[in-house]
Amino acid sequence: METNPQIINDLAPKKFGRYGKVWLVFLLLMILVSFYAYGQQLIKGLVITEMRDYALWGVYISNFVFFVAISLVGSLITAILRLSGANWSTPLTRIAEIIAVAAIIMAGLTIIIDMGRPERLFYLFTHGRLQSPIIWDVIVISTYLVLSLLLLYYPLLPDFAILKTFFGKNTKPGKWYGRLALNWSGSEKQKSLYNRSIRILSVLIIPVAFGIHTVTAWLFATTYRPGWDSTNFGPYFIAGAFVAGAGSVVTIMFILRKTNHLEAYITDLHFDKMGKLLVLLCLVYLYFNVNEYLVPAYKNTKEEAVHLAELFTGEYASLFWLAIVGGLIVPIVVLIFPRGRKPIPAFLMGMLVVVGAWWKRYLIVTPTLLHPFLPIQGVPENWRHYYPSALEWIITFGTLAMALLIITLLVRYLPVIPIHETAEEKGIEELKKSKRT
Amino acid sequence: MKEETNNTRRNFIDKGLKIGLLGAVATGALRALNSCKDTVTEPEETIELMATDGTMIQVPLKEVEEIPSLKSEGYTAREGYPNRKFVMVVDLARCKNAKKCISACNKSHFITGENAWLKVYKMQDSPETAPYWQPTLCMHCDKPPCVKVCPVDATFKRRDGIVLIDNERCIGCRFCMAACPYSTRVFNWEEPAQGETTEINLHLGHMDYSPDYTGMPSQKGTVDKCDFCPHMIDKRELPHCVTACPNGVFFFGDAYEDTVTNGDETLRLSTLLEEKAGYRLMENLGTEPSVYYLPPSNRLVDFNEGLENYDEFKSVNIAED
């Protein structure tokens, strides 16, 4: 089928504009500074963080959980919506898959930052023990990374072939896209293989996506600690992950629509649909939150009581209510109205959801550790509290910048809206129209 | 206290403990654990040795020579001593927060920071009940949650009940610390300042690293904790906290031989636990600790005496001792 040249022209990757370059330099600078900070950590040890024997995990781990959570969006938009036949999501699939790949790569890197002995990472493979949830995480995250890369790559094959002709066989980008297209010719055999592979991948990635975040939840739930010791943790994390992921898609699709002038492809309809989806996901997550906090609060055992008091009214109260009200309730209220699902308010709510989701993970990881079963005595007073140090923040922001850099580079070199699929759908629509008339 | 052991053996152990200062001789409870059937016959030859208090004493030569290392053929740090089950009993009725256990432990394991492996907590279960001092160390659980979660087999359970850490294997993920409900694990957040202690330098030249002497040396970015002193057991001596305690709070021994000792008294473990209603911390978690506690009833010491030693925000400085 001949692809509409207008579509190709609109969707082909474009060079960075002035803002794009500024953005790139900004990200690179942040990453550079974080490399310096991480160098300090390698030399001096984790003492440069504010973590100590009680607050033994901190912002690195919560940031890791955040990345894993965000990465679930790939399976949500590409797999779940694709399989359920929600065709409106087609222009968003690539964005979601790009976010997923960036997030899962960064999840893997972030967890290394937290290690006291990163140079012994390969012991996980040479001395790994299957009974440790960390090994489950290693297995399931690497599987998810491979599946996500494939699910990003396969739908790109026809697009690469289209781009090869678009840029011209003998230009540099044309050659690259040609190589990446793996001799895609669009023959019937290739098409059926292509469709089957994507369908199989879409089915396969769902249990693996559930796996990565359930196992990540189990890193906490398999301990005895009040606040973590919960059978609710797996589904609670998954529900929260879909919220964070959908929020990130809404945010990034708004930005890309502006920067890449995609108004004709990412329309108000998409914000409307994503807004509705986000409301549903937020409600589900809110339900799990009620379970997670209300049941222990009702029983109010001594250990839980201390922990919950800290969250509801204590040191972490302002953060906690900001994450719950700002990150969940406000978005639900705004997005429930059709006006709230217009691009700008939906974008703002998406941002709020993502920021709230980031802090929510911080609140899941940190306060629990400061309430062990036995009293904290005989250690310096500041070991009873935790707030990340400046270097810890720099490293954390560095990881966020790296995730954004991966997204930026993928957006620069890949068509952010699937050209082939869009053209095909437009063609089908036109065919229907012509049949009717 | 009911006497379970016969007098000859107690005298023998008592005498045995007074030796060993020169490091040439090692004896004590573990000797008794090793050979319960020992009876002392009239000594023929004697040897002069310096006792812990500095006086010279005559010791039968036979007793001195009879003590080989506990490590038998094929001993490995991961397997431990065969046919042993090391346990500890902590008698809360005797603890007055003297903190000698902590300083001895810190000194002997070259702990240089605030990260003591042994802590004495000021406990009070409810406002109406009496406060007490609770020395807390690694429980060497029979179902250790830390071992369960370790991804690289760095922390492990030995056949003799001891839980150890291989600091050359540990990747520093700290999952074990999160898993331990007793908060007994500590982390080397920075390069341990052990280079400053001359003693460890003396040792380090001659010794290869082995997990059964934790802290020898400590390694940046890895987890440490109480090791139940296998290096002392090997010499048939008691762990440092046991011998350092002026009140005999800590009893150490072998559950298979049903015997524990604090250096002065040697008692039947089962009888002791039964008569004093011994218990373990957080029994409900199912971790099966190897450390038992005797409740702080009929106290031999005044709780308030410990208060002057109590420092909420500071560990014991090793330089003090």
Side-chain angles (χ1 to χ4, degrees):
Chain A
M1 187 186 10
E2 271 305 301
T3 315
N4 188 340
Q6 174 68 37
I7 295 178
I8 304 178
N9 205 28
D10 284 353
L11 300 183
K14 287 178 189 61
K15 284 189 176 146
F16 288 122
R18 201 152 52 102
Y19 290 117
K21 279 179 187 154
V22 171
W23 171 243
L24 201 64
V25 170
F26 167 72
L27 289 180
L28 287 172
L29 275 178
M30 265 175 77
I31 293 166
L32 214 65
V33 176
S34 74
F35 272 30
Y36 165 79
Y38 186 59
Q40 290 291 304
Q41 182 176 306
L42 283 181
I43 295 163
K44 293 180 185 159
L46 285 163
V47 70
I48 63 131
T49 71
E50 281 296 317
M51 290 187 278
R52 291 298 177 262
D53 287 349
Y54 289 92
L56 53 101
W57 283 342
V59 71
Y60 295 157
I61 294 286
S62 70
N63 196 37
F64 159 75
V65 177
F66 174 75
F67 278 129
V68 177
I70 290 283
S71 79
L72 251 68
V73 73
S75 71
L76 172 73
I77 305 282
T78 18
I80 297 179
L81 291 187
R82 194 194 292 263
L83 291 175
S84 62
N87 282 334
W88 60 266
S89 68
T90 307
L92 308 180
T93 48
R94 181 118 339 124
I95 296 176
E97 215 39 68
I98 286 174
I99 296 173
V101 166
I104 199 71
I105 291 174
M106 286 321 295
L109 291 179
T110 314
I111 202 72
I112 298 172
I113 292 172
D114 186 68
M115 286 169 63
R117 284 283 181 166
E119 81 278 13
R120 296 180 183 171
L121 183 72
F122 70 97
Y123 284 176
L124 287 171
F125 304 98
T126 53
H127 298 283
R129 293 171 85 230
L130 258 185
Q131 71 196 69
S132 169
I134 288 185
I135 297 295
W136 310 342
D137 229 6
V138 171
I139 294 169
V140 81
I141 283 184
S142 41
T143 311
Y144 189 70
L145 174 64
V146 172
L147 285 181
S148 292
L149 283 172
L150 290 178
L151 204 49
L152 175 66
Y153 186 54
Y154 281 0
L156 273 167
L157 289 173
D159 285 8
F160 282 143
I162 291 168
L163 289 174
K164 183 177 115 185
T165 10
F166 174 74
F167 283 103
K169 270 177 203 163
N170 297 319
T171 61
K172 215 178 161 197
K175 274 183 189 162
W176 271 106
Y177 288 124
R179 263 175 230 143
L180 287 167
L182 302 181
N183 293 326
W184 174 268
S185 63
S187 68
E188 282 311 311
K189 198 185 165 200
Q190 279 188 345
K191 270 189 183 164
S192 86
L193 253 177
Y194 163 86
N195 285 328
R196 261 189 66 197
S197 325
I198 290 176
R199 212 177 159 75
I200 290 172
L201 277 177
S202 303
V203 174
L204 278 182
I205 204 162
I206 293 171
V208 181
F210 273 65
I212 57 168
H213 219 38
T214 306
V215 170
T216 306
W218 286 349
L219 294 182
F220 306 98
T222 50
T223 69
Y224 301 112
R225 309 248 175 184
W228 291 353
D229 178 17
S230 158
T231 50
N232 188 29
F233 246 44
Y236 167 60
F237 268 45
I238 299 224
F242 283 152
V243 170
S248 71
V249 167
V250 173
T251 313
I252 290 180
M253 77 191 215
F254 178 85
I255 295 169
L256 286 178
R257 186 170 102 127
K258 281 256 171 261
T259 55
N260 291 22
H261 309 291
L262 301 171
E263 284 82 358
Y265 301 91
I266 301 174
T267 61
D268 282 14
L269 170 94
H270 294 105
F271 285 94
D272 187 68
K273 295 269 191 193
M274 280 306 291
K276 282 180 187 164
L277 183 62
L278 198 50
V279 171
L280 173 69
L281 294 171
C282 282
L283 284 171
V284 173
Y285 189 44
L286 195 64
Y287 166 73
F288 276 110
N289 270 282
V290 170
N291 273 280
E292 191 52 39
Y293 294 111
L294 216 61
V295 174
Y298 184 87
K299 286 183 280 194
N300 227 26
T301 61
K302 215 169 176 179
E303 286 118 9
E304 294 282 0
V306 180
H307 173 64
L308 292 173
E310 197 76 66
L311 287 178
F312 294 166
T313 53
E315 211 177 313
Y316 290 92
S318 44
L319 266 181
F320 178 79
W321 292 115
L322 268 176
I324 293 284
V325 177
L328 277 181
I329 294 174
V330 170
I332 291 173
V333 172
V334 172
L335 292 169
I336 218 160
F337 296 104
R339 260 193 176 166
R341 297 195 294 270
K342 291 281 172 216
I344 291 176
F347 164 68
L348 292 175
M349 290 307 111
M351 286 267 274
L352 210 55
V353 161
V354 173
V355 174
W358 193 91
W359 281 106
K360 188 75 204 309
R361 269 124 201 104
Y362 180 86
L363 288 166
I364 290 171
V365 173
T366 322
T368 282
L369 289 168
L370 298 170
H371 306 293
F373 291 103
L374 291 172
I376 305 180
Q377 290 174 9
V379 296
E381 207 277 334
N382 62 333
W383 289 24
R384 297 180 179 210
H385 312 279
Y386 171 77
Y387 193 74
S389 71
L391 287 177
E392 231 173 329
W393 276 122
I394 291 172
I395 293 172
T396 305
F397 276 107
T399 63
L400 293 168
M402 273 168 105
L404 290 172
L405 180 73
I406 297 173
I407 294 174
T408 309
L409 290 179
L410 289 177
V411 164
R412 162 67 185 83
Y413 292 106
L414 304 180
V416 281
I417 309 279
I419 303 174
H420 170 75
E421 282 176 84
T422 309
E424 215 166 46
E425 275 171 22
K426 286 232 159 127
I428 291 166
E429 271 169 37
E430 273 157 28
L431 207 70
K432 276 181 190 162
K433 271 182 205 161
S434 61
K435 265 185 187 169
R436 255 176 246 147
T437 50
Chain B
M1 197 163 300
K2 198 172 150 189
E3 304 235 335
E4 275 290 319
T5 46
N6 64 46
N7 266 332
T8 28
R9 210 172 90 212
R10 272 196 55 189
N11 287 341
F12 169 75
I13 290 156
D14 207 23
K15 206 189 288 170
L17 272 163
K18 285 179 181 144
I19 326 169
L21 183 77
L22 303 170
V25 196
T27 178
L30 285 161
R31 151 139 207 175
L33 304 179
N34 194 39
S35 47
C36 278
K37 282 166 275 177
D38 265 347
T39 46
V40 178
T41 51
E42 214 50 49
E44 285 156 12
E45 282 181 89
T46 58
I47 184 172
E48 199 175 39
L49 286 172
M50 191 192 281
T52 41
D53 56 4
T55 56
M56 303 307 282
I57 50 164
Q58 294 290 322
V59 179
L61 195 59
K62 216 173 126 201
E63 283 184 28
V64 177
E65 285 177 336
E66 256 182 8
I67 307 153
S69 157
L70 198 64
K71 283 178 187 164
S72 57
E73 195 72 25
Y75 169 90
T76 62
R78 280 196 175 253
E79 289 286 312
Y81 303 104
N83 306 316
R84 299 278 174 174
K85 171 72 183 86
F86 295 111
V87 290
M88 186 176 268
V89 179
V90 180
D91 189 352
L92 298 179
R94 303 174 184 226
C95 181
K96 58 166 191 180
N97 194 30
K99 286 185 170 175
K100 297 290 179 208
C101 52
I102 308 180
S103 43
C105 175
N106 285 0
K107 194 178 173 198
S108 309
H109 292 102
F110 314 104
I111 296 165
T112 51
E114 304 275 3
N115 51 333
W117 303 346
L118 202 173
K119 292 192 178 84
V120 181
Y121 293 122
K122 190 176 111 194
M123 300 290 284
Q124 187 166 19
D125 297 345
S126 76
E128 293 76 27
T129 57
Y132 57 95
W133 300 105
Q134 179 182 291
T136 311
L137 61 165
C138 175
M139 299 288 144
H140 296 274
C141 304
D142 286 347
K143 293 188 177 157
C146 51
V147 171
K148 209 188 318 188
V149 300
C150 179
V152 292
D153 203 12
T155 188
F156 54 90
K157 176 85 177 164
R158 310 204 308 182
R159 298 170 81 176
D160 55 15
I162 297 180
V163 174
L164 290 181
I165 302 166
D166 182 349
N167 293 85
E168 308 222 297
R169 177 73 60 79
C170 175
I171 60 169
C173 69
R174 311 189 292 294
F175 200 179
C176 56
M177 297 172 74
C180 174
Y182 305 100
S183 310
T184 61
R185 290 178 163 248
V186 301
F187 191 69
N188 293 300
W189 297 97
E190 58 190 321
E191 195 61 62
Q194 290 177 322
E196 291 158 17
T197 53
T198 46
E199 211 174 327
I200 195 170
N201 286 334
L202 278 176
H203 289 288
L204 275 178
H206 320 285
M207 279 178 70
D208 287 329
Y209 169 80
S210 171
D212 56 11
Y213 197 164
T214 312
M216 192 65 188
S218 280
Q219 296 185 27
K220 182 181 92 176
T222 62
V223 177
D224 277 344
K225 68 165 190 68
C226 157
D227 59 359
F228 250 25
C229 290
H231 49 284
M232 298 302 284
I233 297 173
D234 179 43
K235 293 192 281 180
R236 292 161 198 265
E237 287 179 40
L238 292 166
H240 303 292
C241 51
V242 180
T243 44
C245 179
N247 299 316
V249 171
F250 300 92
F251 290 79
F252 189 78
D254 184 338
Y256 291 162
E257 295 186 334
D258 202 18
T259 318
V260 286
T261 179
N262 62 0
D264 292 329
E265 301 164 78
T266 303
L267 304 166
R268 282 258 164 267
L269 173 69
S270 50
T271 322
L272 184 65
L273 293 178
E274 197 187 315
E275 288 184 350
K276 296 273 186 85
Y279 65 95
R280 301 185 290 191
L281 295 186
M282 300 174 219
E283 191 74 58
N284 57 316
L285 297 181
T287 51
E288 306 278 340
S290 298
V291 177
Y292 294 85
Y293 285 85
L294 304 181
S297 51
N298 300 324
R299 281 195 236 194
L300 305 174
V301 290
D302 183 9
F303 169 80
N304 292 316
E305 267 179 53
L307 283 174
E308 60 188 70
N309 242 340
Y310 178 65
D311 199 336
E312 204 177 350
F313 299 129
K314 206 168 154 285
S315 177
V316 169
N317 194 341
I318 45 162
E320 280 173 17
D321 222 58

